[in-house]
Amino acid sequence: MPELPEVEAVCRRLRAEAIGAGIVQLRVERPRTTWPQRPSWVERQVAGSILERVERRGKHIVLRLSGDRAIRVHLRMTGKLYVIPDVRFRPPATRAWMELSGGRGLIFEDSRALGKLHVYRGRELDQALEDLGIEPLSKEFTAGWLVAAASRSRQPAKLFLMDQRRVAGLGNIYAAEALFRAGIHPARPVNRIRRSRIEALHRVIRSLLEEAVASAVLAYSEPGAVGEAESFPCAVYGREGAPCERCSRKIRRIRQGGRSTYFCPGCQRSSSHSG
DNA sequence: TCGATCCTGTAG
DNA sequence: CTACAGGATCGA
């Protein structure tokens, strides 16, 4: 379920609930979850360590452990990572889990089982993350950076935004929402978009993500909330056929890179001369 | 740069 | 039954 804002919410909650906890044991229920690492090896690396820090890089969750170990979790489409009070009561779709000190459980639940969990020692983690692009909420992500990156690519705007090697953390929803706010047609090659509009795109990516993080954190802090942060009010995503909130034209859906793209044909024109 | 693929669940 | 799902990777 997660893009950057939801992953960020998960990280914050884990920090509040699990920092300092001992990891009594890790169990991998599904070998493919840690592939190509062997489950038995992964389990051995982690047992007996302390959870010291929780970090986010793009859509990846990094659990820093004592003993110079790190766990990297990617939730993909349907993954959830959360603490339960009693490790004995695990949901059916649990793909991996940790017994924390005191009998609590850290659960990696994932109905579609596309999510991943890997363990790294020392510097190995940096290698695993080296292909990831810039953090869109960092100070390095400037308008100038985006203008330069866009000028070097002929990719359609939406695929450009979703390319994790460029900007890390945007997915199908927030890429579409950002393009709507910036008034950019999702199929438009990024190197043919006016500079001022790329600068606008930079601004809306920031504000959109900040809003979405706030919204996800709020939704995810509700008691009982376990994985969902489906609270963000989308202007285009999932609204095919509904009227655009700005111009009342019908939201359209097209296919890009095998995925659905939603956009407003009135607010996001193929030519750069839209209003 | 595209399509197929990895999986399971749900909606139509 | 088919289509689709907030992701990423692989081979053609």
Side-chain angles (χ1 to χ4, degrees):
Chain A
M1 32 154 294
E3 298 182 28
L4 184 153
E6 293 77 32
V7 174
E8 178 64 26
V10 168
C11 288
R12 291 192 193 182
R13 181 143 176 185
L14 285 180
R15 279 180 204 125
E17 294 187 344
I19 294 283
I23 297 173
V24 178
Q25 61 165 332
L26 164 65
R27 215 82 178 144
V28 178
E29 303 282 9
R30 189 128 179 179
R32 195 152 253 162
T33 299
T34 57
W35 181 263
Q37 297 180 346
R38 296 278 309 286
S40 58
W41 181 85
V42 171
E43 292 170 356
R44 214 179 318 132
Q45 294 306 309
V46 165
S49 60
I50 304 287
L51 177 56
E52 295 183 331
R53 290 198 305 282
V54 177
E55 298 162 7
R56 179 189 59 73
R57 182 74 175 89
K59 302 174 193 169
H60 300 254
I61 299 165
V62 176
L63 309 178
R64 297 276 185 183
L65 311 180
S66 60
D68 212 20
R69 300 284 196 277
I71 298 174
R72 176 176 61 118
V73 175
H74 198 302
L75 303 174
R76 294 280 182 98
M77 303 282 263
T78 51
K80 303 178 191 340
L81 188 65
Y82 57 92
V83 174
I84 59 174
D86 189 331
V87 71
R88 291 172 300 176
F89 303 126
R90 303 183 295 275
T94 299
R95 307 309 182 191
W97 53 274
M98 285 170 246
E99 178 185 347
L100 303 180
S101 46
R104 293 188 300 158
L106 179 51
I107 304 297
F108 182 20
E109 183 190 356
D110 186 8
S111 62
R112 275 176 84 176
L114 297 172
K116 298 292 174 204
L117 183 153
H118 295 283
V119 171
Y120 303 92
R121 299 172 296 189
R123 290 276 97 112
E124 295 168 355
L125 176 69
D126 301 331
Q127 256 183 49
L129 296 174
E130 69 185 355
D131 286 341
L132 275 185
I134 196 166
E135 283 291 326
L137 290 177
S138 71
K139 64 179 193 302
E140 287 75 32
F141 180 67
T142 60
W145 185 94
L146 192 63
V147 167
S151 72
R152 280 184 257 110
S153 171
R154 277 170 280 183
Q155 272 190 303
K158 172 144 174 291
L159 298 183
F160 174 85
L161 289 183
M162 288 181 66
D163 187 342
Q164 302 298 301
R165 296 168 303 188
R166 293 222 161 72
V167 180
L170 289 173
N172 207 30
I173 291 181
Y174 296 111
E177 294 296 311
L179 291 172
F180 169 76
R181 290 191 180 192
I184 296 170
H185 192 286
R188 181 147 239 269
V190 282
N191 62 341
R192 299 205 292 107
I193 302 170
R194 298 211 317 265
R195 181 192 183 96
S196 62
R197 206 161 274 275
I198 295 289
E199 290 166 348
L201 179 60
H202 167 260
R203 284 193 298 276
V204 303
I205 286 172
R206 272 214 122 87
S207 54
L208 173 70
L209 289 179
E210 280 165 12
E211 286 169 38
V213 166
S215 162
V217 165
L218 188 68
Y220 195 45
S221 62
E222 306 272 336
V226 145
E228 281 307 308
E230 164 80 37
S231 55
F232 192 79
C234 290
V236 289
Y237 180 82
R239 299 192 62 237
E240 182 184 18
C244 171
E245 60 187 28
R246 264 190 70 226
C247 74
S248 324
R249 287 191 59 179
K250 283 189 177 180
I251 303 299
R252 288 193 33 198
R253 180 164 70 97
I254 58 176
R255 200 152 266 280
Q256 285 185 294
R259 330 245 343 242
S260 286
T261 294
Y262 299 85
F263 71 102
C264 170
C267 301
Q268 300 165 263
R269 308 200 154 281
S270 311
S271 88
S272 60
H273 317 295
S274 55

